[in-house]
Amino acid sequence: MEVIWLAVDVVCGMAEVLSSFAAVVVAVAVAVVVAVAVAVVVAVAAAWLMVPDRFQMGGEESGVLKASLLLLISASNSESPFENKPFTHLVLACALVVPNVLALAKALWKVCLIEAVVAFGTSILVLVCMPHFDIITNLYILNGVCLLPALLQVVFQLKPLKSSMLLPLGISSALCHWFGVLVCKMHAVRRSFAMPSILATPIVFFAFLIVLYDSFNKYGKADSFNLTALCHNLKTSNDSDSVQILLLEIPRSLCRAEAILISNKVGLALLGSMAVCFWLGLIFSTFYVWGQHIQRIERTSQLFVRRLYEAAFMEQSMLLNTRVQKKKEKKDKRKSDHVMIYLCATMWHETVDEMAKILTSIFRLDKYKPNSSKSHKDNFEFEAHIYFDDAFHLTNPNDNVQKRVLNQYVKNLVCIMEDIYRIFSHEKQSLKDEQEDDDIVKQTIMETPYGGRITYTLPYGNILYVHLKDKQKIRHKKRWSQIMYMYYLLGWKLNKKYTTLSGKFEDEISTTNALKTEKENTYILALDGDTDFQPSALILLVDRLRRYPDVGAACGRIHPTGTGPMVWYQKFEYAVGHWLQKTAEHVLGCVLCSPGCFSLYRAAALMDDNVVKKYTTKATEGQHFVQYDQGEDRWLCTLLLQQGWRVEYNAASDAYTNAPQEFKEFYNQRRRWVPSTLANTIDLLNSGAQTSKRNHSISKLYILYQIVGTAASILGPATVVLMIAGAFTFVFNWNGNVALALGVVPPAIYILICYKVKSDTQIIIAAVMSIFYAFLMIATIMSIIGEMVKENTFITPTGLFFISMMILYFSTAMLHPQEFPLVFYGLLYIICIPSGYLLLPIYSMVNMNNVSWGTRETVTPKIQDKNKTKQVLRYEKKCKFICWDIEFLVKEDKKELIHHADSIIEEEEIIELSIEDKWISNLQEQSFHMMLVVEELDEEEIPFWNDLIELYLKPIEEDKAKQAEIAKELKSLRNKATFLFFIINTLWIVSTFFLQAIGSEIHIKIPKILPNGTFSKSEILTIEPLSFMFLVSFAGLLGIQFLTMLYHRITTLIHFIAYKGTEIKPQQKVGKYHQMYKDHEV
């Protein structure tokens, strides 16, 4: 009766587990009931015939991991020759508690009653019942592997036998569960999850039979296999081979089962039948797992019903816990999978090569995603939009008429568009074996309230719109172009969809829900005019927004392109920033800046309260110009974060953009970025309490992390000065205070220079100083190495910091194998640290009042002042003597000419110049292979543009008084910010100076560690408290970033593998363009 009760208990336990999976289809449920019923009957019969004491039936687990737990349980038997049984039970108990502790730490706020009851029952089973059974019986019972059981047993229990006893027994049930979840997310459910789980028990069973047969060959004396004879002749080996000692526990455990020694064939047959029936029942009950259709980067909560798992029943707890996808859910998913993407690129003064990159990326996406393809899960629709700033200009007056034409940049765009269009059209014809058509392709062109528009139908049917902005009609610059396309695409086009949807649904609620779904599945890909990307990069960003509804924006890995030392420096700088900083922000909280050159935004996030509406705020104060216009991408992300949306980073989504190649251009770019970054970060920190309540991804600890990071960046100049002073001390053997004073003088002089001279002169001086600092940095590196040699140890604060930094960068680069060559640019980056972290912050802060763009600017032709007094040349004489040029000029003002000039001005003022629009005809003449057909703008769209321009995009009229007031505010803001910035750095340097002057009384003393690892008895090392605190803080910051990088690399690998297994295979790669334009491949 006891055996029957135990068998019934097992069935009830299985029923409790299966009851939570009521969604299994009827046919599978019937198969499960039949298989389990047969298994129970056979198990009860086998128990009566073979087991004299107690019997309980369970399940299977995976491979070697299961074998480790079986061996450990067998070794805990009272008749086993192994000693220290309490320790064995302690290991088993810890193993069973581990998964529940992990789950409790993951979900402290939830009460998991079912899991607690199951965990308690499992513990009783493993600790009380199973040690009394033989290993084959336990094989039927167990379905799990405990945490490090074999390893702990080897290290502690069997250590006197041999320390090298290391069996491949598995490492952790937690890792087993974790890897099971990973393979599901990697779309390897069948081959890496279901199949190993199903085949684990048969493999372990046959492995035990092989071990048993091998033991019989060594210790058995009978001619044929006889377990009774083996047990009589089995003895404990005195051999030091600890692996053999553990394996002998298998026949020993069988020898303790009297029914097996009797060799009851009926019992063995029933036992085998029970095993097969239970195995088939597990297959039938989990057959739905083989047909699971899992989305990429699926949430764990969508894969499994419960958060927890059982270490002793790993296989069943994962297979039976897998969610069943209902047909209704599949249909709903298909409806919500429809995605609309708007590609929006802003252009201004890009070169032909830069235009070719963005156009090729758009045409490549058009080839990847034909408009007619609807079957694949990555199906989406897209439109491409290019917004061209300042596209028009007026020609010189001719017969009192000025012609309004397009500038040369727009003409270059039209020409390169024709070339790339022909290449992809021929590629399409070759793929479809069509005859090449040399007919002229018809495209459309039209006048618009903001300037003009050209519409291109791409070879595979998608549409590209080129919006030509006239700064006389609409506000120019990048932020206003973004506002223009956000309101046009999200306001106008979605509004038209809302009107269309109103006729399809009877009630307003259905229409509202449909519009909400449309907003959730509409994305805007923000691009620069020189961005180069592959379709896979876009798909990987779409996955982030599609799977996680709280993600408002996602950005990819930006690779700077170009040649020269400045580009090499930026390549490593971008790499370190993405490897460590962005990954840490993504894992710990949210990414603070999604770069505008390649970022995907959700329409619902942009249309949320206080996002786009606030983004249209016109800068009227000095602080607005710095925060709003100098770093518009970071400000938009700040608005999204404050509104509760999450911003993420995907390292597998690669995009390429041109970087500044000249020192001046680089400094002017960072002159915009540094103050805007600081302003937006401070704004976010000031609202940290409110933001953490609204945004669940931003915690108080993340706010603290950003505070520490911001403080470290502010103290960057002072840190560089102290580092240079240390180099002076070691290289020239100067006094520490003298070296510190000399280290402060050059940056102090440069600060004064920046306040007095023009920006170009400041950059030239910074370039010269950067060269001298580069040589000094080389001396600094040598001094650090020399100090370690002199002290005869590398275990010094400076030495440890230097070595740890090298190891960190090198190991981080190794974890990014495709980007590993960038580590060679690290030397250039290191020697340029004074330029990037000392001179550049000084230049950026002092020139904060300069709000010009600074890059891609062209010289505006100066208009001569007609009222200027003309001078008449009366006498001129030039002579040359040796290497001297001497020129004598005598000039004289003529009143007659002045009066004559005034009369001419009056006549010109009377004559009014007429403007004639010739840009359409002029562009039609420039287009040779495309016919630009003139069309009229939709009448319904004209009022929208007129209202939008009137509300937000009306050109800003120049008001000299207002501009003077803003310039005054900017200077005042600059003075306040620079005072605070420099006083903080000065206080840090002064504190270090006084600590050095006080002497070693307040220094931290640590014993010197010799290279052999021993402590020196006579020598000690002294460390300044402030320097030590800064080193510890900075090292801690880097350590956190490195750990988060490791986690982010794993998640990126999962996503990338899942994508590669489900991506659309292109028919043929485009080869002609790569030869003509040297296109970049991801």
Side-chain angles (χ1 to χ4, degrees), residues 290-302:
W290 294 76
Q292 291 283 75
H293 297 283
I294 299 175
Q295 299 291 334
R296 290 195 290 264
I297 60 173
E298 185 67 271
R299 288 179 179 270
T300 306
S301 60
Q302 298 299 322

Side-chain angles (χ1 to χ4, degrees), residues 735-752:
N735 179 268
N737 293 329
V738 175
L740 184 59
L742 292 176
V744 171
V745 170
I749 295 175
Y750 183 66
I751 292 174
L752 297 177

Side-chain angles (χ1 to χ4, degrees), residues 143-324:
N143 291 291
V145 55
C146 60
L147 178 67
L148 300 176
L151 182 60
L152 293 175
Q153 185 75 1
V154 166
V155 173
F156 297 102
Q157 179 69 19
L158 302 178
K159 187 175 181 181
L161 296 177
K162 191 175 180 180
S163 60
S164 61
M165 182 179 179
L166 294 176
L167 285 174
L169 301 178
I171 57 172
S172 172
S173 62
L175 286 178
C176 183
H177 175 264
W178 185 62
F179 280 115
V181 175
L182 293 192
V183 295
C184 291
K185 293 185 176 184
M186 290 180 180
H187 281 235
V189 178
R190 295 182 181 180
R191 61 181 179 270
S192 298
F193 176 67
M195 184 179 294
S197 300
I198 294 296
L199 297 179
T201 295
I203 292 174
V204 173
F205 178 76
F206 286 111
F208 282 172
L209 291 181
I210 294 173
V211 173
L212 187 62
Y213 182 76
D214 180 71
S215 300
F216 178 78
N217 290 335
K218 291 182 178 180
Y219 300 99
K221 296 181 179 180
D223 296 333
S224 60
F225 180 79
N226 190 322
L227 184 60
T228 304
L230 173 62
C231 293
H232 288 304
N233 297 316
L234 188 62
K235 59 182 179 179
T236 304
S237 175
N238 295 325
D239 190 4
S240 60
D241 187 358
S242 53
V243 175
Q244 186 65 27
I245 294 176
L246 259 184
L247 294 179
L248 283 177
E249 187 62 29
I250 296 174
R252 285 198 198 97
S253 67
L254 294 176
C255 292
R256 292 192 293 267
E258 297 180 2
I260 294 179
L261 293 178
I262 299 173
S263 299
N264 191 315
K265 295 181 179 180
V266 177
L268 292 175
L270 288 176
L271 183 63
S273 301
M274 181 272 296
V276 173
C277 291
F278 184 84
W279 188 57
L280 292 176
L282 183 63
I283 293 177
F284 292 147
S285 62
T286 59
F287 190 75
Y288 68 93
V289 177
W290 294 76
Q292 291 283 75
H293 297 283
I294 299 175
Q295 299 291 334
R296 290 195 290 264
I297 60 173
E298 185 67 271
R299 288 179 179 270
T300 306
S301 60
Q302 298 299 322
L303 294 175
F304 300 98
V305 178
R306 310 292 297 181
R307 288 175 174 267
L308 305 185
Y309 67 95
E310 274 304 319
F313 293 90
M314 177 70 70
E315 190 170 309
Q316 286 182 345
S317 67
M318 293 193 70
L319 285 175
L320 297 176
N321 202 26
T322 306
R323 284 189 180 273
V324 180

Side-chain angles (χ1 to χ4, degrees), residues 805-847:
M805 287 289 293
M806 296 299 102
I807 295 176
L808 184 141
Y809 285 143
F810 190 79
S811 58
T812 303
M814 290 182 65
L815 292 172
H816 299 76
Q818 291 183 337
E819 303 175 29
F820 183 79
L822 297 178
V823 77
F824 297 106
Y825 299 131
L827 179 61
L828 177 64
Y829 177 82
I830 291 174
I831 66 176
C832 291
I833 284 178
S835 179
Y837 293 91
L838 176 61
L839 301 179
L840 181 58
I842 293 174
Y843 172 78
S844 302
M845 297 300 294
V846 175
N847 291 275

Side-chain angles (χ1 to χ4, degrees), residues 876-937:
E876 178 180 9
K877 179 64 177 177
K878 296 181 181 180
C879 62
K880 187 173 183 180
F881 178 73
I882 307 178
C883 59
W884 294 86
D885 291 328
I886 302 175
E887 180 178 1
F888 298 96
L889 297 174
V890 178
K891 297 181 179 179
E892 180 181 13
D893 296 338
K894 284 290 185 179
K895 296 182 180 179
E896 302 86 33
L897 295 176
I898 295 174
H899 294 308
H900 179 67
D902 292 339
S903 62
I904 294 175
I905 293 172
E906 292 176 359
E907 293 178 1
E908 290 180 353
E909 290 177 352
I910 296 173
I911 301 174
E912 294 183 358
L913 298 176
S914 60
I915 299 176
E916 182 180 353
D917 275 331
K918 289 292 184 179
W919 70 272
I920 294 181
S921 59
N922 183 261
L923 199 59
Q924 287 174 336
E925 295 174 358
Q926 294 284 333
S927 184
F928 299 102
H929 303 285
M930 292 184 181
M931 179 182 295
L932 297 178
V933 181
V934 180
E935 289 187 356
E936 297 294 332
L937 185 64

Side-chain angles (χ1 to χ4, degrees), residues 7 34 86 95 180 196 207 288 339 393 619 658 681-682 755 797 872 879 906 957 977 997:
V34 173
Y288 68 93
V339 170
H393 72 93
N658 278 19
T681 304
I682 292 176
Y755 275 104
V872 180
C879 62
E906 292 176 359
E957 298 180 357

Side-chain angles (χ1 to χ4, degrees), residues 14 56-61 69 96 118 121-123 125-126 130 140-145 309-319:
M14 291 296 300
Q56 188 170 0
M57 183 268 297
E60 304 92 352
E61 191 7 52
L69 185 58
L96 299 171
V118 174
T122 304
S123 302
L125 173 67
V126 174
M130 293 180 61
Y140 290 110
I141 297 175
L142 285 184
N143 291 291
V145 55
Y309 67 95
E310 274 304 319
F313 293 90
M314 177 70 70
E315 190 170 309
Q316 286 182 345
S317 67
M318 293 193 70
L319 285 175

Side-chain angles (χ1 to χ4, degrees), residues 355-550:
M355 293 177 182
K357 290 180 181 179
I358 184 65
L359 290 179
T360 304
S361 300
I362 295 174
F363 276 80
R364 190 190 295 126
L365 186 62
D366 173 61
K367 180 177 181 292
Y368 171 86
K369 171 59 189 66
N371 200 28
S372 58
S373 176
K374 302 290 183 181
S375 58
H376 198 267
K377 65 174 61 178
D378 287 333
N379 171 57
F380 61 87
E381 297 180 4
F382 83 90
E383 287 182 4
H385 296 259
I386 295 177
Y387 291 81
F388 216 113
D389 252 322
D390 196 10
F392 297 87
H393 72 93
L394 299 176
T395 61
N396 294 326
N398 186 11
D399 296 334
N400 300 329
V401 176
Q402 282 185 306
K403 295 181 180 180
R404 180 170 169 264
V405 297
L406 297 170
N407 60 27
Q408 187 60 42
Y409 296 101
V410 180
K411 295 177 183 178
N412 293 339
L413 176 66
V414 173
C415 293
I416 195 64
M417 171 73 75
E418 292 189 356
D419 295 338
I420 298 177
Y421 189 97
R422 294 177 64 191
I423 293 171
F424 278 85
S425 296
H426 294 165
E427 188 73 23
K428 176 187 175 184
Q429 293 166 1
S430 63
L431 286 175
K432 296 185 177 181
D433 295 330
E434 297 177 356
Q435 186 176 0
E436 294 191 4
D437 187 7
D438 293 332
D439 294 341
I440 297 179
V441 181
K442 293 183 180 180
Q443 309 292 1
T444 62
I445 187 171
M446 65 184 67
E447 287 270 4
T448 60
Y450 56 81
R453 181 191 300 172
I454 309 174
T455 305
Y456 294 96
T457 302
L458 303 183
Y460 289 89
N462 295 286
I463 308 298
L464 168 61
Y465 299 93
V466 179
H467 304 265
L468 307 174
K469 296 173 59 179
D470 187 351
K471 67 178 182 180
Q472 303 298 330
K473 298 182 178 181
I474 194 170
R475 200 171 298 176
H476 65 291
K477 291 190 177 180
K478 183 177 180 179
R479 180 161 74 96
W480 304 111
S481 295
Q482 291 177 331
I483 294 170
M484 176 181 174
Y485 65 65
M486 287 178 186
Y487 271 91
Y488 172 58
L489 300 176
L490 306 181
W492 169 252
K493 292 210 166 188
L494 275 182
N495 184 59
K496 290 185 66 176
K497 288 185 178 181
Y498 179 81
T499 306
T500 304
L501 291 172
S502 299
K504 294 183 178 180
F505 301 100
E506 297 180 358
D507 56 335
E508 187 68 22
I509 298 178
S510 300
T511 305
T512 304
N513 293 335
L515 180 63
K516 181 181 179 181
T517 304
E518 192 73 28
K519 291 179 181 179
E520 293 288 338
N521 297 329
T522 300
Y523 309 139
I524 288 182
L525 180 65
L527 301 167
D528 279 351
D530 59 352
T531 305
D532 181 19
F533 65 95
Q534 293 287 335
S536 59
L538 174 59
I539 298 300
L540 291 171
L541 293 185
V542 171
D543 284 344
R544 307 301 306 184
L545 272 69
R546 179 180 286 179
R547 296 309 308 153
Y548 304 116
D550 60 336

